Amino acid sequence: MQALLSIVAALMASLLLVFLAAPILRLVTEGGAAGLARLGSDAELRRSLLLTGLTATAATGLGVLGGTPLAWLLARKEFPGRAALSALLDLPLLIPHPVAGIALLLLLGRDSAVGGAALDLGLRIVGTPVGIIAAMLFVSAPLFVSGAREAFAKVDARYEGVARTLGDSPWRAFRRVTLPLASRGLLASAVVMWARAVSEFGAIVILTYNPKVVSVLSYDRFTSYGLQEALPVAAALALLALVPLTLLRALRTDDGRRKT
């Protein structure tokens, strides 16, 4: 019976692995070479890749700046409403991303209080890279906060207490003790956030169709010219996503070696 269960489990795992890996492998093998070749001749693709990378980096930077103290607070402090706050932070991960785009449009559109005030200050959000950053930040920042919260939770709070007894201020104890010990987890969380921001489509296409990030460009090529034109763009996006994932795996592998 045990052997039969092992065979069934191995079969199910193999089927799932094939289902997850086969479409990506097919996409990269079918369009990867053409996508790389297009980088030399397709200026719109190059602009989209650059825009995607820059806006995802900006969104990740904002997420790290705001999410790090929030993650530390959730990991270290007990306060009323903590569970509700955690649930609220996870909500953008659960709602359909076009719905997230509509919610952002209601908040940041030119007819809203925030969007109207920004326009009065000369800052247009919808239809600009600012809108892309806002959409990326909304859907991907919860991933950073969740990962950073786990990283801080793994650091023994007694280390901070020892630093405090030696005369460190709370900020100095955090900077000298907690932050270095949690840095690998924070970096891994930032990489995950960046990768999620790069792949976002639903919220961005509601808020900012133009200028086009790569995900929107691949959709635009598919609807305008068909599969063959969309294939190289989609493959280029898949190859771009491999960069942070490879870095993430390298970080985790190195972390595992350090523990052994």
Side-chain angles (χ1 to χ4, degrees), residues 98-174:
V99 175
I102 292 171
L104 285 171
L105 191 62
L106 288 174
L107 178 69
L108 304 175
R110 65 185 62 187
D111 296 328
S112 69
V114 176
L119 271 179
D120 292 340
L121 296 173
L123 177 63
R124 192 160 67 93
I125 299 175
V126 176
T128 70
V130 179
I132 297 172
I133 293 171
M136 289 179 169
L137 182 64
F138 184 78
V139 300
S140 61
L143 290 173
F144 174 78
V145 174
S146 178
R149 180 176 53 195
E150 293 299 320
F152 283 132
K154 289 179 180 176
V155 178
D156 195 331
R158 288 177 297 181
Y159 295 153
E160 295 178 37
V162 171
R164 295 288 305 278
T165 61
L166 295 176
D168 282 355
S169 64
W171 165 246
R172 186 176 170 81
F174 172 78

Side-chain angles (χ1 to χ4, degrees), residues 198-219:
V198 164
S199 64
E200 176 54 22
F201 170 76
I204 294 175
V205 80
I206 295 290
L207 212 59
T208 302
Y209 197 92
N210 287 301
K212 296 182 182 68
V213 292
V214 180
S215 59
V216 177
L217 180 64
S218 65
Y219 173 77

Side-chain angles (χ1 to χ4, degrees), residues 9-23:
L11 180 62
M12 295 302 294
S14 299
L15 289 174
L16 180 61
L17 181 62
V18 170
F19 178 74
L20 294 176

Side-chain angles (χ1 to χ4, degrees), residues 50-60 129-130 132-133 136 197 213:
L50 180 62
L51 179 64
T52 303
L54 291 177
T55 50
T57 302
T60 303
V130 179
I132 297 172
I133 293 171
M136 289 179 169
V213 292

